[in-house]
Structure formats: C-alpha cells, structure tokens
Amino acid sequence: MCSLFSIKSTICRTKDKKEFDTAFSALEKALHQAKINEQTQNILDLDKQRDIALSSFITHCKLFRNHPENHIAEAAKRASIHIKSYGKDMQRRAYRDETAIIRSLVAAFEEPQHNADIQLIGAKQWLAHLKPLNEKFDELHSNRTMEDAEKDAGKSRDARREMQAKFDRLCKAIEAMAFMRGEDEFRSLANAINEEVKNVLATAK
C-alpha cells in the first residue's frame, strides 16, 4: 500500500493537497491523544500516599508475628495470612485494580474477627488512614478520566470533520485533474489516499 510519504512525492503541490495534509496530521494527533491521561500530579501524589499506607500496614502485621506475647503474635499471623490472600505486589496493580483491592481489604478488616486482630497489634490506624486516601484517589481518578475522555472525544470529532472537508476538496481536485489528463494516471493515487484515511479512522473504533 502506498503511504502518504510516497503520495507527497507524486502529487503536485496544490493548495487542496497541503490543506488535506495538515488536517490529516491533526486527525492522527487527536486520535493518538485520545488515550486517557492519568499522570496528573494530584493523582500521582495520592497513589504514592496510599501505597505507603498499604505497605506500612502490611509491614506492621509482619513485624508483630515475632512479638514475645503469643496471643499478639498469633493475631499478627492471622492478619498476615489474610493479607496474602489478596496476592503479591498490590501496589503495582493497575490503578482501578488496586483501588478495588484496597477497598475489599479494608472492608474485610472491618469485620469483627479481623478487626480484633489488627486492633490488638495496633495496625488499625494504618487502615483508618488508608481508607479515605483510597476513596479520594478513586474520586479524582474517575473525574479526570471522564474529563479527559470528553475532551479527547471532542478533539477527535473536530479533527475528523476538518479532515473530511479537506479530503472532499482534494477528491474534487483529483477528479478535475483526472478529467483533464485521464483517469488511469490518478486511479492508484486515489485508491492509496482512500486506504490511508480508512486505516487512520479505524484506529478510533
């Protein structure tokens, strides 16, 4: 398939072609930017804070497994075993996955049996700190995701309309040149442009 790079070397530099190139590039850029941006500073800071709180809770429970008083050590062991049921490296999971895991973990340790264990070893304070951090993170992340999605969708729609308008004008220019110089000379060019446009638009589906 012929690329736009090779197309540029074979078609005359008409105003319509230049305008189409500009609009086409803008559409490609808009579609690439449609990936939701999650790297805002507030989100990163909250994620770091909740990771620290979660890690501190896990470490706290592990340390108390060696407590000299047996009933405290046993409570820490039970808590650690339950934490392991959520898998390793919870902090490295995708944002939404980590949010759901933390929410489930906190809820489980609010149940009487588990709650008594972490209260006995003094680890409850970490979850009291972790829970609001996790909920705040989820709120900000969800809001930013929706805002970015709406902005990116708008940019893509505008770029698509602009590209289509320039594309229509280019097609008319090609048709006019084909009429003057013969269709065979421009058939492969028209097919190549149609294919390029189809491929780029397909990335948005």
Side-chain angles (χ1 to χ4, degrees):
M1 182 184 67
C2 183
S3 67
L4 281 183
F5 179 79
S6 61
I7 290 172
K8 290 177 181 177
S9 65
T10 58
I11 190 172
C12 61
R13 283 297 180 180
T14 65
K15 178 181 178 182
D16 290 332
K17 179 59 172 62
K18 291 179 180 179
E19 289 180 351
F20 169 75
D21 286 346
T22 300
F24 191 89
S25 297
L27 175 61
E28 286 187 303
K29 182 178 180 181
L31 293 177
H32 283 303
Q33 290 177 340
K35 296 180 180 178
I36 298 172
N37 177 19
E38 299 174 326
Q39 304 305 314
T40 63
Q41 194 60 47
N42 287 339
I43 288 176
L44 289 174
D45 289 344
L46 276 172
D47 185 49
K48 182 177 180 180
Q49 291 177 49
R50 70 174 182 171
D51 284 350
I52 292 173
L54 178 58
S55 296
S56 298
F57 171 68
I58 296 171
T59 301
H60 188 121
C61 293
K62 286 181 178 180
L63 289 174
F64 272 75
R65 292 181 301 179
N66 298 317
H67 196 277
E69 296 185 39
N70 187 62
H71 69 292
I72 295 179
E74 290 300 318
K77 289 176 183 178
R78 287 192 296 269
S80 295
I81 290 173
H82 189 67
I83 291 170
K84 284 184 179 180
S85 68
Y86 290 88
K88 296 181 179 180
D89 299 324
M90 289 180 275
Q91 302 92 322
R92 296 183 181 180
R93 301 288 292 273
Y95 282 152
R96 292 191 182 281
D97 288 345
E98 183 181 353
T99 298
I101 290 171
I102 291 175
R103 189 173 286 148
S104 178
L105 179 73
V106 171
F109 277 100
E110 288 176 344
E111 296 176 1
Q113 180 183 349
H114 296 307
N115 186 268
D117 286 338
I118 61 172
Q119 193 162 6
L120 181 61
I121 65 176
K124 187 175 180 179
Q125 59 184 327
W126 289 115
L127 292 188
H129 181 57
L130 175 61
K131 184 176 181 178
L133 282 175
N134 193 54
E135 295 306 318
K136 182 63 175 177
F137 174 89
D138 186 44
E139 179 184 356
L140 285 180
H141 181 261
S142 297
N143 289 342
R144 176 50 59 89
T145 295
M146 292 177 62
E147 290 174 4
D148 286 351
E150 290 172 358
K151 289 178 182 177
D152 291 334
K155 289 178 182 178
S156 296
R157 282 194 300 270
D158 292 343
R160 189 191 297 263
R161 293 192 189 101
E162 180 69 12
M163 189 280 295
Q164 187 63 52
K166 302 303 181 184
F167 177 67
D168 290 342
R169 289 184 60 183
L170 177 61
C171 287
K172 291 179 180 179
I174 292 176
E175 288 174 358
M177 288 187 286
F179 178 78
M180 296 292 294
R181 299 169 58 178
E183 292 183 1
D184 290 342
E185 183 176 349
F186 295 95
R187 183 175 290 109
S188 60
L189 173 61
N191 290 338
I193 292 176
N194 280 323
E195 189 65 22
E196 288 290 345
V197 172
K198 183 178 72 174
N199 289 339
V200 171
L201 292 180
T203 66
K205 295 181 179 179

